[in-house]
Amino acid sequence: MFFKKLVALAMAVAIVIPMNVNNIQKVEAETTKEAVTYGNLIYHDYEASTYGWGPRGDNAEVVAQSTEEAYSGLNSLKISNRSKTWHGATCDMTTELTLGETYVFGIYLKYIGSSYSSTQKFSLQLQYNDGVNDQYKTIKTLAVTKDQWTLLQGEYTIPTDAVNVKVYVETEWKSSPTTQDFLDFYIDDFTATPATLPQIQKDIPSLKDVFSSYFFVGGAATASEIAPAPAKELVAKHYNSLTPGNELKPDSVLDYAATIAYMEANGGNQVNPQVNLRAAKTLLEYAKANNIPVRGHTLVWHSQTPDWFFKVNYSTDANAAWVSKEVMLQRLENYIKNVMGLIASTYPTVKFYAWDVVNEAVDPNTATGMRNPGSNSVTAGNSPWMQTIGEEYIQKAFEYARKYAPAGCKLFYNDYNEYEDKKSAFIFNILKGLKEKGLIDGMGMQSHWVMEYPSISMFETAVRKYNTLGLEIQLTELDMKQPDNSTTALAAQANRYKLLMNKVISLKKEGMNITGVIFWGVTDKTSWLGGYPLLFDGNYQAKPAYYSIIEGITPTVTPTVTPTVTPITPTVTPTVTPTVTPTVTPSITPTVTPTVTPTVTPSITPTVTPTVTPTPTTIPVEGSKPIVAVTTKNNGNTISQQYTISAVGTIDLSKVSIEFTADGINNQAHNVWVDNAALQLTVEPWYTPLNGNVSGQLTNQKLVVSISKSTMLSEGTGKLVIDLRFAKIDWSAFGTISNFVVKVYYNGVQVQ
């Protein structure tokens, strides 16, 4: 066993030596921590000491050396006397880990005991303070089998502004844990190895050069996406604008603690919400160092905006009263004023060339085209802006943005499904009113596409419609969903990207005022969509889609930007180690929450998209029934599914109900989103959207999908395709989902 431990150490050293051949050293043992370091390798074998690992919980919890179990050698660490799921083992690694370095973290874990279940989910986590709050990031979550040593291993880049950096292990967080969840466990052979990262292709044309004669080309990224060095290099090479993916959204910039403190210090002031830029710091420092213009995304949105922002006394109580229209208008103005003022004072040299002022205000399924009033956190899609202010919030947001935005910053409205006839008509009317008042400069067409939808002609029609208003048009969030990475699938994706970009160039040459194209994400590996939607794969290498869109275009070379990586000195150094509170220790933080979910994928690309449901020519007959196929994908903190419903005989879809259960879906509350629903027909009218008529509800570990609109579907005439997602309220990871059971009911009778 000791020989095995030596072999493990030798293998870890072998990984690091090529990168640190001149920097091999051993750090002398400290009184409380003995971290043996070879170059930047960190290796804790727990043979001589605990290496500074201790309990996360109260005084009763114990983390101690043990000879009862060992992955290798003679000792491991045993974690016992736990009374909370977040109790576990933690180690302060502030002095060992290098800021900005990407590490492969690994730790072996085992639990035993006849009273415990056969599997238990564990997480290897990273905790650090960003200068304001503690952040909790998941390195790896895995279901561990009892009586077996299991390796939890994952890659993470240490933020350049992190302080009080800790690594810890815990079991799955549960709102109603049992004694099963407080099991004892063992850890052994912790390693943190500098990752060997791929090199970007430096000898291929830069996208910003290729398209410089037509429009700028930008990229979107979250702070974690852009942290690895290759990501910084790829963005600097190919893009001449940067959009923060999440870090300038309302929930990232609104500072609850500072807002409450301001209110209490100023006689109960209700109208001056406070903001900070801590989430965007990595991205804005990068933009500043490399002179890359930034798109602000987004000021006003019904989603990713906390309800307390709209409540009396900024209350977090779900039952608290909404503020009056007058108060909310003042909050809106001061919020925009404070964001713009903080940007100007903190990053005076960063050029903000555009802001998405209002995002996704339109719901084409309502009579007015505006979203229903209410809490988005209670009912997805509802708008607290409509609840407190009403439709006027759009104009007011643009008025305030025009008043406080940096000089030269263009103001945009941004939305998805912007090419569909009904929705584009509502959007057009909003744009027209704002344009007449001189409040808007551009239309942001998000352009989250799937492989068969929309058609190029739908896109062209929408561009021509918006162009009549004299606004700039930018494709602001372009990606193309492709779950398959086979040669054939990637070739099809490349062809579709080429058709789109050729059409964009053609329209630009014709005189359409298209000024920018922005790709949503850096690589497939970090895309919010999963799968393979972008131009670069998970190793930062160009895909067929990249080569397809540059074919036949001669680049106009611009000066190459060498990305600058400057270590950031934290402006706040906490003197007290923050207390860990179980209710605020998430086991996972969603990494990319983009602004939109795309429309359904039709199997036939129609030249016309009717908006009416076909008039039934037949009625259901005895023996008719639905046939349902389901595909399920675990994305970590979300589960995505596609339901395909076809008919035997003729069925009324409103009489169809589907129940889905699986092991791994627990009994806590879940959100369910029906992203797309549409009839894909082989007869006229070919394609009929049913968005808003399909719902999903997940309670008591059972997902129920139902259809509210009476719609006939006959055998051989097509299918109904439903795309939906569900996630836990706390966004914790699902781990293993297995033993899928799908029950289909027709008119109350189980038929499948």
Side-chain angles (χ1 to χ4, degrees):
M1 291 262 281
F2 184 66
F3 174 75
K4 181 178 178 182
K5 186 157 298 223
L6 288 176
V7 170
L9 174 58
M11 290 178 66
V13 172
I15 295 173
V16 178
I17 283 178
M19 295 182 286
N20 301 279
V21 68
N22 297 318
N23 189 32
I24 299 176
Q25 56 182 324
K26 181 175 180 179
V27 176
E28 295 299 323
E30 300 173 353
T31 302
T32 59
K33 185 181 300 183
E34 297 177 10
V36 180
T37 306
Y38 293 83
N40 287 325
L41 167 68
I42 300 168
Y43 177 61
H44 297 170
D45 60 7
Y46 310 121
E47 294 300 309
S49 74
T50 64
Y51 290 90
W53 288 77
R56 296 190 74 214
D58 52 34
N59 293 332
E61 187 188 355
V62 177
V63 174
Q65 285 177 280
S66 173
T67 58
E68 296 171 356
E69 297 285 340
Y71 173 72
S72 60
L74 301 176
N75 295 325
S76 65
L77 291 188
K78 182 178 181 179
I79 296 87
S80 58
N81 290 351
R82 301 168 59 244
S83 58
K84 300 288 189 299
T85 57
W86 57 271
H87 286 180
T90 184
C91 183
D92 188 328
M93 307 194 72
T94 303
T95 60
E96 286 89 350
L97 295 171
T98 302
L99 299 183
E101 181 81 70
T102 302
Y103 289 90
V104 177
F105 293 92
I107 195 166
Y108 284 90
L109 190 145
K110 182 178 182 178
Y111 73 99
I112 59 176
S114 59
S115 63
Y116 298 139
S117 60
S118 59
T119 61
Q120 174 69 41
K121 192 180 296 182
F122 288 85
S123 291
L124 177 61
Q125 302 278 133
L126 186 75
Q127 175 183 345
Y128 61 90
N129 190 277
D130 61 8
V132 179
N133 289 332
D134 274 359
Q135 301 294 323
Y136 303 88
K137 305 295 182 181
T138 298
I139 299 170
K140 183 67 176 181
T141 296
L142 197 65
V144 173
T145 301
K146 184 169 63 177
D147 298 327
Q148 296 180 13
W149 282 102
T150 301
L151 174 64
L152 272 65
Q153 187 176 72
E155 184 178 290
Y156 203 88
T157 303
I158 309 301
T160 54
D161 58 350
V163 294
N164 293 341
V165 184
K166 300 175 183 178
V167 175
Y168 65 93
V169 181
E170 65 179 2
T171 55
E172 180 184 16
W173 182 87
K174 294 182 179 179
S175 57
S176 301
T178 66
T179 55
Q180 283 274 335
D181 300 303
F182 306 140
L183 48 75
D184 298 347
F185 62 93
Y186 304 86
I187 59 175
D188 203 357
D189 284 8
F190 169 82
T191 56
T193 309
T196 302
L197 299 176
Q199 297 294 311
I200 72 166
Q201 296 156 292
K202 298 180 180 179
D203 58 348
I204 61 176
S206 164
L207 290 171
K208 64 186 179 185
D209 294 343
V210 171
F211 296 102
S212 61
S213 298
Y214 305 107
F215 37 74
F216 75 83
V217 179
T222 61
S224 60
E225 276 185 288
I226 208 169
K232 292 183 174 71
E233 294 171 358
L234 187 139
V235 169
K237 175 177 174 61
H238 288 286
Y239 303 132
N240 43 20
S241 88
L242 177 64
T243 303
N246 282 307
E247 290 75 5
L248 289 177
K249 290 176 181 174
D251 61 355
S252 293
V253 299
L254 285 167
D255 191 323
Y256 177 75
T259 298
I260 296 298
Y262 182 92
M263 178 182 69
E264 293 175 348
N266 290 274
N269 185 300
Q270 291 276 306
V271 297
N272 197 9
Q274 301 299 293
V275 299
N276 67 66
L277 298 175
R278 65 178 183 269
K281 185 174 183 179
T282 297
L283 290 156
L284 297 181
E285 292 288 346
Y286 171 79
K288 180 177 73 172
N290 296 282
N291 196 30
I292 298 178
V294 172
R295 180 186 204 88
H297 178 79
T298 177
L299 286 172
V300 176
W301 191 23
H302 67 280
S303 184
Q304 286 186 245
T305 306
D307 277 356
W308 62 259
F309 184 42
F310 304 91
K311 295 299 185 73
V312 172
N313 294 323
Y314 303 107
S315 175
T316 57
D317 184 344
N319 297 317
W322 302 96
V323 296
S324 66
K325 177 178 179 179
E326 292 71 26
V327 168
M328 199 63 226
L329 283 172
Q330 292 179 74
R331 285 188 185 180
L332 173 59
E333 179 171 7
N334 285 329
Y335 154 65
I336 293 176
K337 177 184 179 181
N338 291 343
V339 169
M340 296 301 184
L342 188 57
I343 287 284
S345 62
T346 311
Y347 296 100
T349 62
V350 174
K351 178 183 179 182
F352 277 78
Y353 71 92
W355 273 90
D356 293 325
V357 178
V358 175
N359 195 53
E360 301 175 8
V362 171
D363 181 354
N365 298 305
T366 66
T368 64
M370 302 302 297
R371 292 186 176 275
N372 289 321
S375 167
N376 179 72
S377 61
V378 175
T379 303
N382 282 359
S383 172
W385 294 106
M386 290 295 293
Q387 175 72 40
T388 53
I389 298 176
E391 189 171 347
E392 186 184 358
Y393 84 88
I394 298 175
Q395 178 180 322
K396 288 299 184 181
F398 275 91
E399 286 181 6
Y400 303 146
R402 185 67 88 197
K403 183 176 180 180
Y404 298 111
C409 179
K410 302 292 183 68
L411 305 183
F412 277 72
Y413 175 81
N414 195 56
D415 215 327
Y416 67 99
N417 295 352
E418 67 286 349
Y419 36 71
E420 293 185 341
D421 287 346
K422 188 176 181 181
K423 186 165 186 177
S424 66
F426 286 122
I427 293 173
F428 182 89
N429 289 335
I430 291 173
L431 299 177
K432 185 173 183 293
L434 293 170
K435 175 65 175 177
E436 290 171 350
K437 295 177 175 63
L439 297 175
I440 192 170
D441 301 298
M443 168 63 192
M445 300 181 68
Q446 290 188 7
S447 304
H448 291 289
W449 284 32
V450 292
M451 286 300 295
E452 295 85 11
Y453 190 79
S455 66
I456 296 296
S457 62
M458 289 174 67
F459 168 74
E460 179 178 353
T461 298
V463 170
R464 292 184 183 279
K465 178 187 293 186
Y466 299 136
N467 191 72
T468 62
L469 294 171
L471 298 172
E472 288 188 34
I473 298 170
Q474 294 176 2
L475 283 63
T476 55
E477 304 180 23
L478 177 60
D479 50 25
M480 200 164 289
K481 188 175 183 179
Q482 175 54 282
D484 185 357
N485 71 335
S486 66
T487 301
T488 301
L490 294 183
Q493 181 191 53
N495 182 63
R496 184 152 166 78
Y497 261 119
K498 183 175 182 62
L499 289 172
L500 171 58
M501 292 302 289
N502 283 353
K503 177 56 67 175
V504 173
I505 291 173
S506 173
L507 291 170
K508 177 70 175 184
K509 288 180 177 179
E510 186 182 328
M512 303 294 111
N513 193 20
I514 301 171
T515 56
V517 174
I518 301 166
F519 293 90
W520 195 261
V522 180
T523 71
D524 287 344
K525 183 178 180 179
T526 54
S527 169
W528 71 286
L529 282 172
Y532 313 91
L534 295 169
L535 304 183
F536 298 93
D537 65 21
N539 290 318
Y540 303 94
Q541 305 302 293
K543 293 166 51 183
Y546 162 86
Y547 292 105
S548 74
I549 67 172
I550 70 170
E551 183 181 7
I553 304 176
T554 303
T556 301
V557 179
T558 56
T560 300
V561 177
T562 302
T564 302
V565 182
T566 305
I568 300 171
T569 302
T571 56
V572 178
T573 304
T575 56
V576 180
T577 303
T579 300
V580 180
T581 304
T583 57
V584 296
T585 307
S587 60
I588 184 167
T589 300
T591 56
V592 171
T593 307
T595 63
V596 55
T597 306
T599 314
V600 66
T601 308
S603 59
I604 299 175
T605 303
T607 56
V608 178
T609 306
T611 57
V612 296
T613 303
T615 302
T617 55
T618 56
I619 59 173
V621 297
E622 187 175 355
S624 296
K625 65 177 182 178
I627 302 295
V628 177
V630 185
T631 59
T632 301
K633 181 179 180 182
N634 188 342
N635 303 308
N637 61 325
T638 62
I639 303 295
S640 57
Q641 294 187 303
Q642 184 174 88
Y643 290 81
T644 303
I645 305 174
S646 54
V648 172
T650 298
I651 62 172
D652 182 345
L653 289 170
S654 68
K655 297 181 179 180
V656 177
S657 177
I658 306 168
E659 294 181 357
F660 173 83
T661 58
D663 293 345
I665 300 176
N666 63 29
N667 204 28
Q668 72 180 95
H670 289 72
N671 284 322
V672 181
W673 302 272
V674 177
D675 296 331
N676 312 292
L679 283 170
Q680 300 176 14
L681 303 171
T682 58
V683 296
E684 290 187 1
W686 311 111
Y687 174 78
T688 302
L690 290 179
N691 289 328
N693 301 119
V694 178
S695 61
Q697 186 173 17
L698 203 167
T699 55
N700 298 323
Q701 299 176 280
K702 180 190 296 181
L703 172 65
V704 178
V705 181
S706 57
I707 303 152
S708 61
K709 187 174 183 178
S710 180
T711 307
M712 300 303 176
L713 179 64
S714 296
E715 185 173 353
T717 62
K719 58 190 177 182
L720 171 62
V721 178
I722 302 167
D723 290 316
L724 62 77
R725 293 172 297 127
F726 57 88
K728 301 174 188 176
I729 292 292
D730 64 0
W731 282 95
S732 59
F734 281 95
T736 302
I737 302 294
S738 60
N739 298 328
F740 303 148
V741 177
V742 178
K743 296 180 181 180
V744 181
Y745 296 85
Y746 187 64
N747 207 19
V749 178
Q750 185 174 346
V751 295
Q752 180 179 327

